[in-house]
């Protein structure tokens, strides 16, 4: 049996009725067994829907997916025991980047004596225990951020662009650090982290140069 | 009386698993640079959810093909993933777009918004005798396309009516109406 309220029961269940309609429907429910029963059934449908488990396909689709995106051929061509395909010059370059980042930070630290980090550096995404060069890198970042932070040096729109880009880079750094925590010896991730740290320094240097030019 | 308010899909289906999210973001970055192993890890983590979504939306016949399409599409679009949301959220929305695009070629859009409770009752409704009880998923699959898609997106995946309306090109009122008719049809199949 249905009545004028039956079609509103789902909206009621989902909390989408206006307060006055909700009050009126609740008054109706108090005296209508049929609507109360229907409401409970609808509630069970929703509960069942939310409890459904995801099931994988009967057959593994990965070989077909890998074939369609050209990974199957590459996987066959690559020796099974080799996890990464970086060349020695690439790894050497990564080492140089790390050395530059760390060395630059150390030089700045030495020049400034004992630095006091501003709050935003203490809240930095970098976890000093997660990566050997982090503390020095953070100090270098703090120096550059202080140079940029002088009031009125950069217009609001420019600051927004810089901040947005920094957020993206910071996220990439966090992700790489997180992945490295699980796999510290991963050469690719080390290189990726070094690249992201360098990107951050380069962006801050550009911003500092811009700020200096406008002061 | 307790009210049930569906959450957003990403909130319900993607609990706060920060470490997992970070690892997946890292895998997405690696995959975007061509790392097939990272992409395979992402595939393994999400294939059940993607395949289930496809199967519920379009039925089992084309589910494998379309699920493959989703991951192929994801591979080509990885460069657009910026990590603003969880990778699973990004992939899920991409999957919905692929599925909805394929509806046209599958011809499933025909008569998709039958706004009649009688039609829905006729398709999915029948006495709930124990010997006739059907698998809940199977009954969902017997709903007309429009009602099924709205039901899957709202009650299983947790999208809001406004989001569903935007995805399906309908108004929110139609989404609400389809959802109610789908629920009314499905309630007959619940075990008592």
């Amino acid at each position: 049996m249905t009545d004028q309220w039956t079609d509103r029961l789902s909206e009621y269940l989902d909390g989408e009725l206006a307060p006055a309609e909700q009050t009126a429907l609740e008054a109706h429910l108090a005296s209508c067994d049929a609507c109360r029963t229907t409401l409970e059934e609808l509630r069970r449908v929703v509960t069942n829907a939310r409890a459904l488990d995801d099931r994988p396909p009967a057959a593994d689709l990965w070989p077909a997916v890998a074939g369609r995106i050209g990974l199957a051929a590459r996987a066959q061509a690559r020796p099974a025991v080799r996890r990464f395909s970086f060349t020695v010059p690439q790894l050497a370059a990564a080492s140089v980047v790390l050395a530059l980042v760390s060395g630059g930070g150390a030089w700045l630290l030495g020049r400034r004596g004992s630095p006091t980090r501003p709050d935003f550096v203490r809240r930095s995404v970098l976890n000093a225990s997660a990566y050997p060069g982090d503390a020095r890198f953070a100090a270098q970042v703090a120096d550059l951020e202080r140079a940029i932070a002088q009031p009125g040096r950069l217009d609001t729109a420019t600051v927004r662009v810089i901040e947005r880009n920094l957020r993206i880079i910071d996220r990439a750094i966090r992700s790489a650090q997180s992945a490295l925590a699980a796999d510290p010896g991963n050469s690719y991730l080390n290189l990726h982290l070094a690249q992201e740290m360098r990107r951050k320094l380069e962006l801050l240097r550009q911003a500092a140069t811009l700020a200096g030019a406008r002061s | 009386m307790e009210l049930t308010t569906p959450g957003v899909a990403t909130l319900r289906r993607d609990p706060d698993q920060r470490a997992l999210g970070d690892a997946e973001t890292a895998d997405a970055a690696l995959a975007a640079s061509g790392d097939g192993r990272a992409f395979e890890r992402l595939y393994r983590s999400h294939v059940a959810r993607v395949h289930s979504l496809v199967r519920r939306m379009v039925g089992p016949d084309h589910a494998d093909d379309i699920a493959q399409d989703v991951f192929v599409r994801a591979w080509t679009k990885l460069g657009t993933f910026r990590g603003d949301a969880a990778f699973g959220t990004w992939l899920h929305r991409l999957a919905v777009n692929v599925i909805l695009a394929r509806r046209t070629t599958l011809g499933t859009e025909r008569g998709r918004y039958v706004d009649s409770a009688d039609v829905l009752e006729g398709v999915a409704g029948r006495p709930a005798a124990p010997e006739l009880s059907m698998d809940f998923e199977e009954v969902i699959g017997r709903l007309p396309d429009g009602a099924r898609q709205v039901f899957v997106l709202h009650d299983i995946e947790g999208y809001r009516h406004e989001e569903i309306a935007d995805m399906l090109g309908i108004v929110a009122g139609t989404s609400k109406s389809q959802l109610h008719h789908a629920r009314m049809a499905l309630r007959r199949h619940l075990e008592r």
Side-chain angles (χ1 to χ4, degrees), chain A residues 6 10 12-14 16 41 43-44 48 50 53-55 60-62 68 74 171 175 188, chain B residues 2-4 6 13 25 30 33-34 40 43-44 52 56 68-69 84 161 180 183 187 190-191:
Chain A
T6 307
S10 279
Y12 175 74
L13 191 60
D14 295 337
E16 292 176 343
E41 289 171 342
R43 198 190 303 279
R44 288 175 58 210
N48 275 28
R50 292 183 177 180
D53 285 329
D54 291 333
R55 294 198 297 246
D60 187 8
L61 305 180
W62 175 248
R68 287 176 62 182
R74 262 196 273 172
R171 256 200 311 271
S175 298
Y188 181 91
Chain B
E2 183 189 355
L3 295 178
T4 306
R13 286 273 175 165
T25 301
L30 292 173
S33 66
E40 184 177 357
Y43 163 84
R44 301 276 172 214
S52 295
R56 289 163 185 152
Q68 282 182 36
D69 288 348
D84 296 331
H161 284 297
H180 179 65
R183 287 175 177 173
R187 74 195 166 105
L190 295 175
E191 289 182 14

Side-chain angles (χ1 to χ4, degrees), chain A residues 97 101 137 165-166 168-170 172-173 192-206, chain B residues 82:
Chain A
V97 169
V101 168
F137 172 75
N165 287 329
L166 283 174
I168 292 169
I169 295 171
D170 282 344
I173 290 173
H192 179 60
L193 176 59
Q195 286 173 334
E196 292 304 322
M197 293 166 82
R198 185 174 58 176
R199 275 179 68 199
K200 180 163 185 169
L201 286 174
E202 286 172 349
L203 176 63
L204 287 170
R205 285 193 190 106
Q206 287 173 3
Chain B
R82 299 189 173 281

Side-chain angles (χ1 to χ4, degrees), chain B residues 33-103:
Chain B
S33 66
D35 187 329
R37 291 173 191 279
F39 190 61
E40 184 177 357
R41 284 194 294 273
L42 294 170
Y43 163 84
R44 301 276 172 214
S45 296
H46 294 279
V47 66
R49 186 181 173 196
V50 167
H51 195 270
S52 295
L53 172 66
V54 175
R55 194 176 58 246
R56 289 163 185 152
M57 289 283 281
V58 302
D61 291 347
H62 301 280
D64 285 2
D65 285 346
I66 298 178
Q68 282 182 36
D69 288 348
V70 169
F71 285 99
V72 171
R73 180 85 169 155
W75 172 258
T76 63
K77 290 284 185 183
L78 276 169
T80 66
F81 174 64
R82 299 189 173 281
D84 296 331
F87 176 78
T89 305
W90 178 85
L91 178 66
H92 193 267
R93 185 57 191 256
L94 182 142
V96 171
N97 289 339
V98 170
I99 293 164
L100 295 179
R102 281 293 295 271
R103 282 185 319 168

Side-chain angles (χ1 to χ4, degrees), chain A residues 2-215:
Chain A
T2 61
D3 57 37
Q4 61 168 332
W5 288 108
T6 307
D7 285 343
R8 311 302 303 277
L9 291 175
S10 279
E11 290 175 86
Y12 175 74
L13 191 60
D14 295 337
E16 292 176 343
L17 287 181
E21 290 178 308
Q22 181 173 325
T23 302
L25 178 51
E26 285 175 351
H28 173 73
L29 285 170
S31 61
C32 180
D33 290 342
C35 279
R36 277 203 307 276
T37 300
T38 301
L39 180 64
E40 284 313 305
E41 289 171 342
L42 294 178
R43 198 190 303 279
R44 288 175 58 210
V45 168
V46 174
T47 302
N48 275 28
R50 292 183 177 180
L52 285 174
D53 285 329
D54 291 333
R55 294 198 297 246
D60 187 8
L61 305 180
W62 175 248
V65 171
R68 287 176 62 182
I69 60 181
L71 287 175
R74 262 196 273 172
Q76 286 173 352
R78 189 181 297 163
V81 295
R82 186 177 176 191
R83 295 185 61 196
F84 303 101
S85 59
F86 293 99
T87 62
V88 170
Q90 280 177 311
L91 294 173
S95 301
V96 169
V97 169
L98 290 173
L100 283 173
V101 168
S102 302
W107 178 77
L108 283 169
L109 276 172
R111 193 178 62 143
R112 292 185 302 117
S114 56
T116 301
R117 292 187 195 170
D119 284 347
F120 59 82
V121 173
R122 284 195 216 107
R123 290 196 305 267
S124 168
V125 298
L126 294 169
N127 175 353
S129 64
Y131 194 75
D134 284 352
R136 294 165 183 167
F137 172 75
Q140 194 171 4
V141 167
D143 270 351
L144 289 165
E145 286 178 331
R146 265 195 294 273
I148 298 164
Q150 302 297 321
R153 284 194 168 184
L154 294 174
D155 61 68
T156 307
T158 303
V159 169
R160 275 204 206 103
V161 171
I162 293 169
E163 287 177 344
R164 190 170 65 233
N165 287 329
L166 283 174
R167 278 197 297 273
I168 292 169
I169 295 171
D170 282 344
R171 256 200 311 271
I173 290 173
R174 276 197 301 271
S175 298
Q177 285 181 318
S178 174
L180 272 171
D183 187 5
N186 188 318
S187 309
Y188 181 91
L189 289 173
N190 275 300
L191 176 62
H192 179 60
L193 176 59
Q195 286 173 334
E196 292 304 322
M197 293 166 82
R198 185 174 58 176
R199 275 179 68 199
K200 180 163 185 169
L201 286 174
E202 286 172 349
L203 176 63
L204 287 170
R205 285 193 190 106
Q206 287 173 3
T209 303
L210 190 60
R214 292 190 179 185
S215 62

Side-chain angles (χ1 to χ4, degrees), chain B:
Chain B
M1 205 168 285
E2 183 189 355
L3 295 178
T4 306
T5 305
V8 176
T10 55
L11 297 180
R12 183 168 66 81
R13 286 273 175 165
D14 294 333
D16 185 19
Q17 296 175 311
R18 194 176 184 83
L20 175 63
D22 287 347
E24 291 203 336
T25 301
D27 271 344
L30 292 173
S33 66
D35 187 329
R37 291 173 191 279
F39 190 61
E40 184 177 357
R41 284 194 294 273
L42 294 170
Y43 163 84
R44 301 276 172 214
S45 296
H46 294 279
V47 66
R49 186 181 173 196
V50 167
H51 195 270
S52 295
L53 172 66
V54 175
R55 194 176 58 246
R56 289 163 185 152
M57 289 283 281
V58 302
D61 291 347
H62 301 280
D64 285 2
D65 285 346
I66 298 178
Q68 282 182 36
D69 288 348
V70 169
F71 285 99
V72 171
R73 180 85 169 155
W75 172 258
T76 63
K77 290 284 185 183
L78 276 169
T80 66
F81 174 64
R82 299 189 173 281
D84 296 331
F87 176 78
T89 305
W90 178 85
L91 178 66
H92 193 267
R93 185 57 191 256
L94 182 142
V96 171
N97 289 339
V98 170
I99 293 164
L100 295 179
R102 281 293 295 271
R103 282 185 319 168
T104 307
T105 55
L106 293 174
T108 56
E109 81 279 20
R110 275 182 303 142
R112 54 191 165 140
Y113 299 115
V114 182
D115 202 10
S116 160
D118 292 340
V119 172
L120 285 158
E121 296 276 324
V123 171
R126 65 190 204 180
E131 66 275 15
L132 295 178
S133 67
M134 299 169 66
D135 176 71
F136 192 56
E137 295 252 19
E138 188 181 340
V139 186
I140 292 170
R142 291 169 62 119
L143 291 169
D145 294 322
R148 186 177 67 246
Q149 288 159 5
V150 170
F151 179 78
V152 169
L153 291 173
H154 190 280
D155 278 4
I156 301 178
E157 301 299 335
Y159 285 101
R160 296 190 300 271
H161 284 297
E162 291 73 16
E163 295 172 305
I164 295 168
D166 185 46
M167 285 188 268
L168 298 180
I170 57 179
V171 297
T174 302
S175 177
K176 289 179 184 178
S177 171
Q178 290 287 317
L179 176 66
H180 179 65
H181 291 331
R183 287 175 177 173
M184 289 291 280
L186 292 170
R187 74 195 166 105
R188 294 172 174 271
H189 292 271
L190 295 175
E191 289 182 14
R192 295 173 193 276

